[in-house]
Amino acid sequence: MIVAAVALGALAFALAWPVPVALSRAEWPARSPATALVLWQGIALGGGLSMIGALLAFGASPAGSLAGAANALLPMAAAGPIPEGFGVVHLAALTLAVGLAVHLALNLATTAVRAERARRRQHRLIDLLASPASESTGARVLAHPVPAAYCVPGLRTATVITDGLVELLDEAELRAVVGHERAHLDQLHHLVLLAFRAWHAALPWFPIANRAERSVAMLTEMLADDAPRRRVGVEPLRTALLRVGSSGASAAYDDSPTASAASDERVLERRLARLEADLHPLDPRARSATWLLATAIVAVPVCVLAAIAA
Amino acid sequence: MEQLWMGDSALTANEVRDRLASASAPGRAPATTTVLTVLSRLERKGFVGRSRDTRPHRYSALLSRAEHTAELMHEVLSASSDRDAALARFVGTVSAGEANTLRRLLDDVVRH
């Protein structure tokens, strides 16, 4: 039991510190963003599981198994003496494990509810204000001079562009922009982002959560760039990015420009650099190995917990 | 339906129905009760105001179309990347300095 706790603890530490730092600094994710995204998900899920698992394994160690600990402790939960062999540290570890699990789950739920509410409001206003989808692009158009494009994900989706954008860009560039937003919707990027945003909201003091969220957001943008790049070509996408970025009008609207603008700019720079460099994807063997690694990261804590369950 | 508030002053439900009837194909005009239902739903959502000092009540738009659009765009553009997972923007916020750099790059691209 103690061995399992130490092993899970070591895994949790590795996934909470050196591994995500290395991954967020690595260059290869720009070449194969989908693979990197899978690895990030493995790290987040595996990290959470092994952290909670380590606490559980340590807390249950006096009873020899998780089921044994539950049998010994649950009848005494409301009142009664602490069973033989259990110390205060064990009980604290178990409480922490349960608390952490509940905290993460609740945060995921509230983040999802808040996002859903914001989306519903968006749909209501879009229905009221935007023109119906245009035939050439399939996007809805808002009468507003600031060039902007965005999408509302969810069960019901919408892609919205503004008059200002239609004026700024030519036909191919518009199709590239709409293709980018469509890719976000088709590939359900909001679900991946939601999980990482909830993780960040649950652990705001944890620098890696922030780093992970930014890296994942960057990867989803790169993935969304790849769809129009294949269909419309690199040039329209690149000039569209440059034109919308250099219009600079959106800066006037942001009420917290410092931190978010800096990170948005970095995302834009990396996307442009990536389009220019025309990177080759990772070779298939490296990609399979990464997928395997991501699976293993999640499977190991699950297997360890299963082994000590009974 | 919304077009009707955008143009005119406050209207009663009957007037709204008449305008809808003249705008839509014959035989497809909604009943006054339907109009009233829609109006009260819009009122609950905060789009429409009702003045109660006359009878029948008169309805009017609380904000013009342009004001609503401005509000919506403000929400979209100021939604910074780390606040909500609700939306995805094509390009995030860009500072003035960065915008200049991009403009130079764009000039290079266009000239080629």
Side-chain angles (χ1 to χ4, degrees), chain A residues 105-131:
Chain A
L106 275 182
N107 245 292
L108 186 62
T110 44
T111 310
V113 167
R114 206 173 304 144
E116 187 50 42
R117 207 176 295 149
R119 279 182 210 133
R120 223 172 291 151
R121 182 176 150 71
Q122 277 288 329
H123 277 304
R124 220 152 54 207
L125 286 166
I126 292 167
D127 285 342
L128 192 62
L129 301 168
S131 72

PDB file of all heavy atoms in Angstrom, chain A residues 105-131:
ATOM      1  N   ALA A 105     -14.775  18.136  -9.508  1.00  0.00           N
ATOM      2  CA  ALA A 105     -16.030  17.826 -10.200  1.00  0.00           C
ATOM      3  C   ALA A 105     -16.975  19.023 -10.170  1.00  0.00           C
ATOM      4  O   ALA A 105     -17.594  19.384 -11.180  1.00  0.00           O
ATOM      5  CB  ALA A 105     -16.692  16.606  -9.559  1.00  0.00           C
ATOM      6  N   LEU A 106     -17.069  19.675  -9.003  1.00  0.00           N
ATOM      7  CA  LEU A 106     -17.959  20.827  -8.889  1.00  0.00           C
ATOM      8  C   LEU A 106     -17.516  21.960  -9.804  1.00  0.00           C
ATOM      9  O   LEU A 106     -18.332  22.628 -10.432  1.00  0.00           O
ATOM     10  CB  LEU A 106     -17.986  21.330  -7.438  1.00  0.00           C
ATOM     11  CG  LEU A 106     -18.959  20.627  -6.507  1.00  0.00           C
ATOM     12  CD1 LEU A 106     -18.916  21.264  -5.131  1.00  0.00           C
ATOM     13  CD2 LEU A 106     -20.379  20.690  -7.068  1.00  0.00           C
ATOM     14  N   ASN A 107     -16.188  22.159  -9.876  1.00  0.00           N
ATOM     15  CA  ASN A 107     -15.689  23.235 -10.720  1.00  0.00           C
ATOM     16  C   ASN A 107     -15.985  22.984 -12.184  1.00  0.00           C
ATOM     17  O   ASN A 107     -16.326  23.907 -12.921  1.00  0.00           O
ATOM     18  CB  ASN A 107     -14.180  23.383 -10.530  1.00  0.00           C
ATOM     19  CG  ASN A 107     -13.867  24.708  -9.906  1.00  0.00           C
ATOM     20  OD1 ASN A 107     -14.048  25.747 -10.537  1.00  0.00           O
ATOM     21  ND2 ASN A 107     -13.461  24.684  -8.659  1.00  0.00           N
ATOM     22  N   LEU A 108     -15.849  21.723 -12.593  1.00  0.00           N
ATOM     23  CA  LEU A 108     -16.175  21.380 -13.979  1.00  0.00           C
ATOM     24  C   LEU A 108     -17.638  21.699 -14.252  1.00  0.00           C
ATOM     25  O   LEU A 108     -18.000  22.289 -15.269  1.00  0.00           O
ATOM     26  CB  LEU A 108     -15.888  19.899 -14.218  1.00  0.00           C
ATOM     27  CG  LEU A 108     -16.038  19.410 -15.651  1.00  0.00           C
ATOM     28  CD1 LEU A 108     -15.057  20.140 -16.555  1.00  0.00           C
ATOM     29  CD2 LEU A 108     -15.821  17.914 -15.750  1.00  0.00           C
ATOM     30  N   ALA A 109     -18.501  21.339 -13.282  1.00  0.00           N
ATOM     31  CA  ALA A 109     -19.931  21.565 -13.471  1.00  0.00           C
ATOM     32  C   ALA A 109     -20.251  23.054 -13.551  1.00  0.00           C
ATOM     33  O   ALA A 109     -20.969  23.496 -14.448  1.00  0.00           O
ATOM     34  CB  ALA A 109     -20.710  20.909 -12.335  1.00  0.00           C
ATOM     35  N   THR A 110     -19.709  23.851 -12.625  1.00  0.00           N
ATOM     36  CA  THR A 110     -20.056  25.284 -12.651  1.00  0.00           C
ATOM     37  C   THR A 110     -19.497  25.951 -13.902  1.00  0.00           C
ATOM     38  O   THR A 110     -20.167  26.798 -14.498  1.00  0.00           O
ATOM     39  CB  THR A 110     -19.513  26.042 -11.417  1.00  0.00           C
ATOM     40  OG1 THR A 110     -18.188  25.636 -11.190  1.00  0.00           O
ATOM     41  CG2 THR A 110     -20.341  25.794 -10.195  1.00  0.00           C
ATOM     42  N   THR A 111     -18.273  25.567 -14.313  1.00  0.00           N
ATOM     43  CA  THR A 111     -17.724  26.163 -15.525  1.00  0.00           C
ATOM     44  C   THR A 111     -18.606  25.834 -16.720  1.00  0.00           C
ATOM     45  O   THR A 111     -18.884  26.696 -17.563  1.00  0.00           O
ATOM     46  CB  THR A 111     -16.289  25.660 -15.775  1.00  0.00           C
ATOM     47  OG1 THR A 111     -15.548  25.808 -14.580  1.00  0.00           O
ATOM     48  CG2 THR A 111     -15.618  26.443 -16.876  1.00  0.00           C
ATOM     49  N   ALA A 112     -19.071  24.592 -16.776  1.00  0.00           N
ATOM     50  CA  ALA A 112     -19.926  24.183 -17.896  1.00  0.00           C
ATOM     51  C   ALA A 112     -21.243  24.948 -17.881  1.00  0.00           C
ATOM     52  O   ALA A 112     -21.709  25.425 -18.920  1.00  0.00           O
ATOM     53  CB  ALA A 112     -20.184  22.681 -17.824  1.00  0.00           C
ATOM     54  N   VAL A 113     -21.828  25.092 -16.700  1.00  0.00           N
ATOM     55  CA  VAL A 113     -23.115  25.794 -16.605  1.00  0.00           C
ATOM     56  C   VAL A 113     -22.958  27.253 -17.001  1.00  0.00           C
ATOM     57  O   VAL A 113     -23.767  27.808 -17.752  1.00  0.00           O
ATOM     58  CB  VAL A 113     -23.678  25.676 -15.166  1.00  0.00           C
ATOM     59  CG1 VAL A 113     -24.828  26.650 -14.969  1.00  0.00           C
ATOM     60  CG2 VAL A 113     -24.128  24.258 -14.898  1.00  0.00           C
ATOM     61  N   ARG A 114     -21.876  27.885 -16.522  1.00  0.00           N
ATOM     62  CA  ARG A 114     -21.663  29.296 -16.839  1.00  0.00           C
ATOM     63  C   ARG A 114     -21.467  29.488 -18.339  1.00  0.00           C
ATOM     64  O   ARG A 114     -22.028  30.411 -18.940  1.00  0.00           O
ATOM     65  CB  ARG A 114     -20.447  29.818 -16.072  1.00  0.00           C
ATOM     66  CG  ARG A 114     -20.531  31.309 -15.843  1.00  0.00           C
ATOM     67  CD  ARG A 114     -19.406  31.791 -14.945  1.00  0.00           C
ATOM     68  NE  ARG A 114     -19.368  31.109 -13.674  1.00  0.00           N
ATOM     69  CZ  ARG A 114     -18.227  30.801 -13.034  1.00  0.00           C
ATOM     70  NH1 ARG A 114     -17.066  31.081 -13.580  1.00  0.00           N
ATOM     71  NH2 ARG A 114     -18.273  30.206 -11.864  1.00  0.00           N
ATOM     72  N   ALA A 115     -20.679  28.599 -18.948  1.00  0.00           N
ATOM     73  CA  ALA A 115     -20.447  28.714 -20.390  1.00  0.00           C
ATOM     74  C   ALA A 115     -21.751  28.513 -21.156  1.00  0.00           C
ATOM     75  O   ALA A 115     -22.038  29.228 -22.115  1.00  0.00           O
ATOM     76  CB  ALA A 115     -19.410  27.685 -20.821  1.00  0.00           C
ATOM     77  N   GLU A 116     -22.549  27.551 -20.702  1.00  0.00           N
ATOM     78  CA  GLU A 116     -23.809  27.272 -21.385  1.00  0.00           C
ATOM     79  C   GLU A 116     -24.741  28.481 -21.298  1.00  0.00           C
ATOM     80  O   GLU A 116     -25.412  28.836 -22.266  1.00  0.00           O
ATOM     81  CB  GLU A 116     -24.462  26.036 -20.753  1.00  0.00           C
ATOM     82  CG  GLU A 116     -25.699  25.527 -21.460  1.00  0.00           C
ATOM     83  CD  GLU A 116     -25.494  25.342 -22.958  1.00  0.00           C
ATOM     84  OE1 GLU A 116     -24.428  24.846 -23.342  1.00  0.00           O
ATOM     85  OE2 GLU A 116     -26.395  25.717 -23.728  1.00  0.00           O
ATOM     86  N   ARG A 117     -24.753  29.134 -20.141  1.00  0.00           N
ATOM     87  CA  ARG A 117     -25.615  30.302 -19.973  1.00  0.00           C
ATOM     88  C   ARG A 117     -25.168  31.437 -20.904  1.00  0.00           C
ATOM     89  O   ARG A 117     -25.991  32.080 -21.554  1.00  0.00           O
ATOM     90  CB  ARG A 117     -25.568  30.765 -18.510  1.00  0.00           C
ATOM     91  CG  ARG A 117     -26.841  31.470 -18.097  1.00  0.00           C
ATOM     92  CD  ARG A 117     -26.815  31.822 -16.627  1.00  0.00           C
ATOM     93  NE  ARG A 117     -26.805  30.642 -15.762  1.00  0.00           N
ATOM     94  CZ  ARG A 117     -26.221  30.594 -14.559  1.00  0.00           C
ATOM     95  NH1 ARG A 117     -25.569  31.638 -14.108  1.00  0.00           N
ATOM     96  NH2 ARG A 117     -26.294  29.505 -13.821  1.00  0.00           N
ATOM     97  N   ALA A 118     -23.850  31.642 -20.963  1.00  0.00           N
ATOM     98  CA  ALA A 118     -23.331  32.688 -21.848  1.00  0.00           C
ATOM     99  C   ALA A 118     -23.681  32.387 -23.290  1.00  0.00           C
ATOM    100  O   ALA A 118     -24.025  33.275 -24.069  1.00  0.00           O
ATOM    101  CB  ALA A 118     -21.820  32.812 -21.671  1.00  0.00           C
ATOM    102  N   ARG A 119     -23.620  31.108 -23.668  1.00  0.00           N
ATOM    103  CA  ARG A 119     -23.933  30.721 -25.045  1.00  0.00           C
ATOM    104  C   ARG A 119     -25.390  30.952 -25.359  1.00  0.00           C
ATOM    105  O   ARG A 119     -25.740  31.386 -26.457  1.00  0.00           O
ATOM    106  CB  ARG A 119     -23.612  29.254 -25.257  1.00  0.00           C
ATOM    107  CG  ARG A 119     -22.175  29.025 -25.522  1.00  0.00           C
ATOM    108  CD  ARG A 119     -21.927  27.558 -25.764  1.00  0.00           C
ATOM    109  NE  ARG A 119     -20.582  27.271 -25.324  1.00  0.00           N
ATOM    110  CZ  ARG A 119     -20.245  26.251 -24.577  1.00  0.00           C
ATOM    111  NH1 ARG A 119     -21.167  25.391 -24.174  1.00  0.00           N
ATOM    112  NH2 ARG A 119     -19.011  26.082 -24.211  1.00  0.00           N
ATOM    113  N   ARG A 120     -26.252  30.641 -24.399  1.00  0.00           N
ATOM    114  CA  ARG A 120     -27.683  30.818 -24.659  1.00  0.00           C
ATOM    115  C   ARG A 120     -27.987  32.290 -24.892  1.00  0.00           C
ATOM    116  O   ARG A 120     -28.769  32.650 -25.762  1.00  0.00           O
ATOM    117  CB  ARG A 120     -28.498  30.263 -23.491  1.00  0.00           C
ATOM    118  CG  ARG A 120     -29.691  29.480 -24.022  1.00  0.00           C
ATOM    119  CD  ARG A 120     -30.417  28.757 -22.931  1.00  0.00           C
ATOM    120  NE  ARG A 120     -29.650  27.661 -22.376  1.00  0.00           N
ATOM    121  CZ  ARG A 120     -29.776  27.242 -21.118  1.00  0.00           C
ATOM    122  NH1 ARG A 120     -30.602  27.852 -20.302  1.00  0.00           N
ATOM    123  NH2 ARG A 120     -29.077  26.224 -20.687  1.00  0.00           N
ATOM    124  N   ARG A 121     -27.345  33.139 -24.088  1.00  0.00           N
ATOM    125  CA  ARG A 121     -27.544  34.580 -24.267  1.00  0.00           C
ATOM    126  C   ARG A 121     -27.042  35.008 -25.645  1.00  0.00           C
ATOM    127  O   ARG A 121     -27.691  35.798 -26.336  1.00  0.00           O
ATOM    128  CB  ARG A 121     -26.783  35.318 -23.165  1.00  0.00           C
ATOM    129  CG  ARG A 121     -26.959  36.799 -23.210  1.00  0.00           C
ATOM    130  CD  ARG A 121     -26.258  37.472 -22.037  1.00  0.00           C
ATOM    131  NE  ARG A 121     -25.835  38.808 -22.429  1.00  0.00           N
ATOM    132  CZ  ARG A 121     -26.676  39.809 -22.619  1.00  0.00           C
ATOM    133  NH1 ARG A 121     -27.958  39.632 -22.447  1.00  0.00           N
ATOM    134  NH2 ARG A 121     -26.238  40.987 -23.000  1.00  0.00           N
ATOM    135  N   GLN A 122     -25.883  34.472 -26.046  1.00  0.00           N
ATOM    136  CA  GLN A 122     -25.347  34.776 -27.379  1.00  0.00           C
ATOM    137  C   GLN A 122     -26.353  34.408 -28.464  1.00  0.00           C
ATOM    138  O   GLN A 122     -26.620  35.196 -29.367  1.00  0.00           O
ATOM    139  CB  GLN A 122     -24.044  34.000 -27.609  1.00  0.00           C
ATOM    140  CG  GLN A 122     -22.821  34.659 -27.035  1.00  0.00           C
ATOM    141  CD  GLN A 122     -22.428  35.884 -27.832  1.00  0.00           C
ATOM    142  OE1 GLN A 122     -22.645  35.948 -29.035  1.00  0.00           O
ATOM    143  NE2 GLN A 122     -21.887  36.863 -27.153  1.00  0.00           N
ATOM    144  N   HIS A 123     -26.887  33.195 -28.369  1.00  0.00           N
ATOM    145  CA  HIS A 123     -27.835  32.743 -29.402  1.00  0.00           C
ATOM    146  C   HIS A 123     -29.044  33.657 -29.474  1.00  0.00           C
ATOM    147  O   HIS A 123     -29.526  33.980 -30.554  1.00  0.00           O
ATOM    148  CB  HIS A 123     -28.284  31.313 -29.104  1.00  0.00           C
ATOM    149  CG  HIS A 123     -27.318  30.292 -29.611  1.00  0.00           C
ATOM    150  ND1 HIS A 123     -26.929  30.226 -30.928  1.00  0.00           N
ATOM    151  CD2 HIS A 123     -26.654  29.305 -28.976  1.00  0.00           C
ATOM    152  CE1 HIS A 123     -26.066  29.244 -31.071  1.00  0.00           C
ATOM    153  NE2 HIS A 123     -25.881  28.667 -29.899  1.00  0.00           N
ATOM    154  N   ARG A 124     -29.521  34.069 -28.284  1.00  0.00           N
ATOM    155  CA  ARG A 124     -30.693  34.929 -28.260  1.00  0.00           C
ATOM    156  C   ARG A 124     -30.412  36.229 -29.001  1.00  0.00           C
ATOM    157  O   ARG A 124     -31.194  36.677 -29.835  1.00  0.00           O
ATOM    158  CB  ARG A 124     -31.045  35.232 -26.795  1.00  0.00           C
ATOM    159  CG  ARG A 124     -32.514  35.236 -26.522  1.00  0.00           C
ATOM    160  CD  ARG A 124     -32.798  34.848 -25.092  1.00  0.00           C
ATOM    161  NE  ARG A 124     -32.061  35.665 -24.145  1.00  0.00           N
ATOM    162  CZ  ARG A 124     -31.718  35.253 -22.922  1.00  0.00           C
ATOM    163  NH1 ARG A 124     -32.027  34.050 -22.531  1.00  0.00           N
ATOM    164  NH2 ARG A 124     -31.062  36.041 -22.107  1.00  0.00           N
ATOM    165  N   LEU A 125     -29.253  36.829 -28.704  1.00  0.00           N
ATOM    166  CA  LEU A 125     -28.920  38.098 -29.336  1.00  0.00           C
ATOM    167  C   LEU A 125     -28.610  37.925 -30.815  1.00  0.00           C
ATOM    168  O   LEU A 125     -28.980  38.765 -31.641  1.00  0.00           O
ATOM    169  CB  LEU A 125     -27.736  38.750 -28.606  1.00  0.00           C
ATOM    170  CG  LEU A 125     -28.098  39.347 -27.253  1.00  0.00           C
ATOM    171  CD1 LEU A 125     -26.860  39.670 -26.435  1.00  0.00           C
ATOM    172  CD2 LEU A 125     -28.928  40.614 -27.442  1.00  0.00           C
ATOM    173  N   ILE A 126     -27.942  36.826 -31.161  1.00  0.00           N
ATOM    174  CA  ILE A 126     -27.617  36.599 -32.571  1.00  0.00           C
ATOM    175  C   ILE A 126     -28.892  36.419 -33.375  1.00  0.00           C
ATOM    176  O   ILE A 126     -29.038  36.976 -34.470  1.00  0.00           O
ATOM    177  CB  ILE A 126     -26.690  35.375 -32.724  1.00  0.00           C
ATOM    178  CG1 ILE A 126     -25.311  35.666 -32.132  1.00  0.00           C
ATOM    179  CG2 ILE A 126     -26.536  34.993 -34.189  1.00  0.00           C
ATOM    180  CD1 ILE A 126     -24.450  34.451 -31.965  1.00  0.00           C
ATOM    181  N   ASP A 127     -29.831  35.647 -32.826  1.00  0.00           N
ATOM    182  CA  ASP A 127     -31.106  35.453 -33.521  1.00  0.00           C
ATOM    183  C   ASP A 127     -31.791  36.778 -33.783  1.00  0.00           C
ATOM    184  O   ASP A 127     -32.411  36.997 -34.828  1.00  0.00           O
ATOM    185  CB  ASP A 127     -32.043  34.580 -32.678  1.00  0.00           C
ATOM    186  CG  ASP A 127     -31.636  33.127 -32.721  1.00  0.00           C
ATOM    187  OD1 ASP A 127     -30.876  32.780 -33.647  1.00  0.00           O
ATOM    188  OD2 ASP A 127     -32.049  32.354 -31.846  1.00  0.00           O
ATOM    189  N   LEU A 128     -31.671  37.656 -32.809  1.00  0.00           N
ATOM    190  CA  LEU A 128     -32.366  38.931 -32.899  1.00  0.00           C
ATOM    191  C   LEU A 128     -31.652  39.884 -33.845  1.00  0.00           C
ATOM    192  O   LEU A 128     -32.287  40.650 -34.576  1.00  0.00           O
ATOM    193  CB  LEU A 128     -32.422  39.540 -31.489  1.00  0.00           C
ATOM    194  CG  LEU A 128     -33.326  40.717 -31.243  1.00  0.00           C
ATOM    195  CD1 LEU A 128     -34.760  40.311 -31.514  1.00  0.00           C
ATOM    196  CD2 LEU A 128     -33.187  41.172 -29.802  1.00  0.00           C
ATOM    197  N   LEU A 129     -30.307  39.852 -33.843  1.00  0.00           N
ATOM    198  CA  LEU A 129     -29.548  40.940 -34.466  1.00  0.00           C
ATOM    199  C   LEU A 129     -28.865  40.572 -35.779  1.00  0.00           C
ATOM    200  O   LEU A 129     -28.723  41.420 -36.648  1.00  0.00           O
ATOM    201  CB  LEU A 129     -28.480  41.440 -33.491  1.00  0.00           C
ATOM    202  CG  LEU A 129     -29.005  41.965 -32.157  1.00  0.00           C
ATOM    203  CD1 LEU A 129     -27.869  42.144 -31.179  1.00  0.00           C
ATOM    204  CD2 LEU A 129     -29.740  43.274 -32.365  1.00  0.00           C
ATOM    205  N   ALA A 130     -28.421  39.320 -35.910  1.00  0.00           N
ATOM    206  CA  ALA A 130     -27.598  38.996 -37.073  1.00  0.00           C
ATOM    207  C   ALA A 130     -28.474  38.615 -38.254  1.00  0.00           C
ATOM    208  O   ALA A 130     -29.575  38.086 -38.084  1.00  0.00           O
ATOM    209  CB  ALA A 130     -26.651  37.849 -36.739  1.00  0.00           C
ATOM    210  N   SER A 131     -27.961  38.892 -39.438  1.00  0.00           N
ATOM    211  CA  SER A 131     -28.666  38.463 -40.635  1.00  0.00           C
ATOM    212  C   SER A 131     -28.551  36.953 -40.744  1.00  0.00           C
ATOM    213  O   SER A 131     -27.614  36.364 -40.214  1.00  0.00           O
ATOM    214  CB  SER A 131     -28.032  39.108 -41.858  1.00  0.00           C
ATOM    215  OG  SER A 131     -26.790  38.498 -42.093  1.00  0.00           O
TER     216      SER A 131
END
